[in-house]
Amino acid sequence: MAVVNQYKFVGVDNSTTGSALTPFGLSVPAVNETIVIKSILVTAAGTPVVTITNNSITAIKSTALTANVTTELLTQPLIVEGGKTFTVQSSTTDSFDVAISYLNIKKEVTT
């Protein structure tokens, strides 16, 4: 079994909705993947409170953001295990952008 480490970036532009975003797509990280998030940057047009949920547990709940200022939400890396859900949600319908830098550790079967 080979392990492949890939440094990646994903950005989500949430223009109008206050619904939960899944930055890694509707398919959560595969069971053979572990994601180590290094940075979560958020920029909002308004002053929402952003909630980060990892496997249905609130991992981060920010204070009200300052409009048009980029804020780093992490102080330590955050692990997302394969097969678990990861969502970002705003308390308001104001436009906000999320930028996530992460390491994807993928176990691949080799023959």
Side-chain angles (χ1 to χ4, degrees):
M1 181 178 302
V3 176
V4 177
N5 294 334
Q6 296 175 316
Y7 292 95
K8 293 187 169 192
F9 170 86
V10 64
V12 179
D13 177 9
N14 184 37
S15 57
T16 58
T17 179
S19 62
L21 301 174
T22 53
F24 301 116
L26 293 178
S27 59
V28 297
V31 293
N32 66 332
E33 295 177 309
T34 299
I35 291 177
V36 180
I37 300 174
K38 175 69 176 142
S39 174
I40 301 175
L41 296 171
V42 179
T43 304
T47 58
V49 172
V50 174
T51 302
I52 306 291
T53 305
N54 186 358
N55 196 28
S56 301
I57 302 296
T58 299
I60 299 170
K61 190 163 192 125
S62 73
T63 58
L65 300 177
T66 303
N68 301 315
V69 173
T70 302
T71 303
E72 171 63 63
L73 298 183
L74 283 181
T75 57
Q76 295 291 320
L78 180 65
I79 307 300
V80 181
E81 295 177 353
K84 309 298 182 190
T85 58
F86 178 85
T87 60
V88 179
Q89 186 162 8
S90 170
S91 64
T92 66
T93 57
D94 289 332
S95 173
F96 75 102
D97 295 336
V98 178
I100 300 174
S101 296
Y102 64 100
L103 169 63
N104 185 3
I105 303 169
K106 186 183 294 185
K107 297 175 216 98
E108 293 183 344
V109 176
T110 57
T111 56

